[in-house]
Each structure stands twice: as structure tokens, then as C-alpha cells.
Amino acid sequence: MSMTQQAEPAVTSPPVSGPGKEKDGRTQQRSLVLRLLARPEVGVFLGALAILVFFLIMAPTLRQGSSMSTVLYQASTIGIMVLPVALLMIGGEFDLSSGVAPVASALTASMTAFELTLNVWVGVIAALVVSLAIGFFNGWLLVKTGLPSFLVTLGTFMGLQGVNLAVTKLVTGNVATDDISDMDGFDQAKALFASSFDVGGVNVKITVLWWLAFAALATWVLLRTKYGNWIFAVGGNKDSARAVGVPVNFTKISLFVLVGFGAWFVGMHNLFQYNTVQSGEGVGNELIYIAAAVVGGCLLTGGYGTIIGPVFGAFMFGLVQLGIVYATWNPDWFKTFLGVMLVGATLVNLWVRKQATRR
């Protein structure tokens, strides 16, 4: 009798283990899909692809190589600034002065070189110092006072906007700087910041290469270095991060300094691309940078995001901005289109994250 009872489990156990293995296989297959959906850049990539197909159909001019090169150039001028803004947002902060900071940098370089009759590289270096100092001031004031980054950078935004206009009019007697294209060092600086080259008969701006290079570097820093771990930690919970030894103040200040570096680079491109700078430009660009990062999957609350997502986000904004023109639509609808795209992308990202966390 006991032998019969012992034999029964041996007969019934294989059917139990068989279905269990099949369940595990199905779970692994589903988890792979969910892991892909959980990536913040997947949703924006699909959105960018859909918008690209849409404008390729609606705007046949966009199918030309020169038109696509122009789109990439427009995206790069946005994307270079979006990269540090995205890192800052992952770190739990954002910078409202990022729109006018490039203008302040360009004005500094132009007026320093022209008014003092110096090599333009002196102005470039002076602009770098000023831009990094602005970023450092934002970060230092944030960590010392505990004020929200919204208030700190809103004050910097308004201050820079006034200084840009007032100082330019005081020094030059105009709202724009003088042309510096005939000054010493201009050609070398232009080659670095605003030159172009041909690829298969299509003219490509060097900013596209800089954009991709900076994106690759930022991705490596974020995912493969201790500093990248610090960014995620301070963005997720700065108190917990400080408790485990993360230098919270240094991380936050350095992220603002990186935004200053991005502002310097974009400002130098604008200066050497157009030879002069309008002091009132840049207002509103900060919203485009933040929106492109949000569309790319970065959360305003911090602690979550990638670099690849904001790269696609910047591409979407550049594509929409020029796609409307190539489609011969009224460009006044550009901001409306961006607003709809921002809300739509945010809802898609929210849905994707919910799907990824379901069993």
C-alpha cells in the first residue's frame, strides 16, 4: 500500500513540471517586449518615425537630400542644447535661462573681440568663462538657498534678457552687434563652430557631427560612469543619495555648468554662422529644449530618462518646424503643433511605462 502511495507522485510530477516550463518560456518572451517598451526612447522613436513618414507624404520637397540635411541642421542646433538640459532634468532640475544663455555667450564673444580689437578667439574664451559662470551661479544658488530651480533660473532668465539688450545698446548703440567676419581668427573659429562639408553632393553642417558626438559622449557618461549613477541618484532622491555618499551639491552644480557649456557652444555657432548677434533673440527656446527632453522620455520629477530619447525629440522638433514650411502650411501653427505633440508624447510615454510595469 505504501509502495503504491510513493509511486503516485512519480507518475503525476512530470505533467506538473512540463506546463511550468512552458509558462516560464511565455513569461520570458513577454518580458522581452515589456523591456523594450520600458525604454523611454522607444516611444519617441516610433513617434519620430510616424511624423517623418507623414511629412514625406505631405511635403514631397522633404524627400530631397538637401532638404533632409536642412532638417538635420535645424535639429542639431536644438539638440546640442537639449543634451545638457536632459541630463539636468534626469538630475531633478531644469533651467529656464537656457534659451537666452546662448545669446549672452555670443554677445560676450562678439563685443569683447570687436570693441577691444582683439583676436576673436579671445572673445570665444571670454564667452566660455561667462557661460560656465552663469551655470555655476545657477547651481550654487540652488544648493545654497534650497530654492526650486524654477525660481532660480527664472530670475536668471529675466536678468540675462535685460542685460543682453541693455549692455548691447550701451556698447554698440544698437540692438545687434557689429559684423566680425573680417577680424583675425574668424575663419578658424568658423571652421570649428559653423563650417560645412559635402556628402554625396549634399551640404551638411558640422553641427550635425558635433550633435551626434556629444550625444555619444553623454550616453557613455550617463550609463557607464560613476558620475552617471550620481545623476540618477540625485534626481531620484537627493536625501537618499547623500546618505550613501553621493556628492549631491557637486553633481547638481556641475549639471548646471554643463548647461552653460552647451549654451556657449550654441552661441558660438550662431555668432560664426551669421557674423552678428541680435540681443533680443532666444526667448522661448528654453521651452523647446525642455519639451524636446520631455518628449524624449525625461521626467520633470527627475531620476528617469536617457540621452537617445532627447536626440529623437530634437529631431522631431526640427522636422516639424521645417516640415510645416516644406508642406507650405501657415508657420504660425508651429507652436500649436508642438503643444499637441508634447501632450501626445507625454501621454504615450505614460501609457508605455504603465504597460511595462504590468504583470
Side-chain angles (χ1 to χ4, degrees):
M1 189 74 176
S2 61
M3 294 177 61
T4 306
Q5 290 175 347
Q6 291 176 359
E8 286 176 356
V11 175
T12 57
S13 57
V16 174
S17 62
K21 288 183 180 179
E22 291 180 5
K23 265 186 190 176
D24 291 342
R26 288 195 299 269
T27 302
Q28 290 175 0
Q29 185 177 6
R30 185 167 181 266
S31 297
L32 177 61
V33 175
L34 292 180
R35 284 198 298 270
L36 289 175
L37 288 177
R39 300 296 302 174
E41 64 269 20
V42 171
V44 65
F45 168 74
L46 296 177
L49 184 62
I51 292 176
L52 175 61
V53 172
F54 172 76
F55 277 113
L56 287 175
I57 296 173
M58 300 301 298
T61 308
L62 192 61
R63 303 169 194 170
Q64 301 175 6
S66 58
S67 299
M68 188 55 65
S69 174
T70 305
V71 169
L72 289 175
Y73 167 61
Q74 183 68 23
S76 69
T77 58
I78 298 173
I80 291 175
M81 197 65 198
V82 169
L83 296 175
V85 168
L87 288 174
L88 181 63
M89 289 178 62
I90 295 173
E93 310 294 343
F94 58 93
D95 191 346
L96 291 178
S97 68
S98 57
V100 294
V103 179
S105 179
L107 290 171
T108 300
S110 179
M111 288 189 290
T112 299
F114 187 87
E115 299 300 328
L116 300 179
T117 319
L118 300 172
N119 190 293
V120 296
W121 283 104
V122 177
V124 169
I125 295 173
L128 176 60
V129 173
V130 169
S131 295
L132 297 182
I134 292 172
F136 178 84
F137 173 78
N138 283 335
W140 176 83
L141 190 60
L142 177 85
V143 301
K144 289 299 181 181
T145 63
L147 291 172
S149 55
F150 173 83
L151 291 178
V152 172
T153 59
L154 178 61
T156 308
F157 160 74
M158 298 179 70
L160 285 178
Q161 187 179 0
V163 167
N164 287 349
L165 183 60
V167 173
T168 304
K169 293 178 70 174
L170 179 65
V171 172
T172 68
N174 203 343
V175 295
T177 60
D178 297 284
D179 191 321
I180 63 170
S181 59
D182 59 347
M183 298 188 66
D184 293 338
F186 179 87
D187 292 336
Q188 293 82 357
K190 183 178 178 66
L192 179 63
F193 295 106
S195 61
S196 59
F197 56 94
D198 287 339
V199 177
V202 177
N203 187 265
V204 179
K205 289 289 186 180
I206 197 171
T207 50
V208 176
L209 293 185
W210 281 119
W211 175 38
L212 299 178
F214 288 150
L217 177 61
T219 300
W220 177 78
V221 169
L222 188 64
L223 301 180
R224 293 290 183 266
T225 67
K226 183 185 296 185
Y227 182 71
N229 292 333
W230 292 349
I231 295 174
F232 281 113
V234 300
N237 190 316
K238 65 178 181 180
D239 294 327
S240 299
R242 184 178 284 110
V244 297
V246 174
V248 174
N249 291 351
F250 166 78
T251 303
K252 286 187 177 290
I253 292 175
S254 62
L255 288 173
F256 278 101
V257 171
L258 284 177
V259 174
F261 176 82
W264 168 74
F265 197 94
V266 172
M268 294 307 94
H269 166 72
N270 292 335
L271 173 61
F272 294 107
Q273 176 67 24
Y274 303 109
N275 309 333
T276 184
V277 187
Q278 294 288 335
S279 58
E281 292 182 347
V283 178
N285 286 348
E286 67 281 349
L287 299 180
I288 293 179
Y289 302 146
I290 294 173
V294 172
V295 168
C298 296
L299 298 182
L300 289 173
T301 53
Y304 184 82
T306 66
I307 292 300
I308 302 301
V311 167
F312 287 127
F315 175 74
M316 287 175 65
F317 276 50
L319 177 61
V320 170
Q321 193 169 11
L322 291 179
I324 290 176
V325 175
Y326 288 136
T328 65
W329 298 343
N330 187 345
D332 294 339
W333 290 98
F334 169 64
K335 292 295 178 64
T336 302
F337 200 111
L338 291 187
V340 173
M341 186 173 66
L342 174 61
V343 174
T346 304
L347 293 176
V348 169
N349 288 336
L350 179 62
W351 178 84
V352 166
R353 294 190 68 200
K354 286 183 176 180
Q355 293 300 313
T357 55
R358 289 178 58 186
R359 285 190 62 196

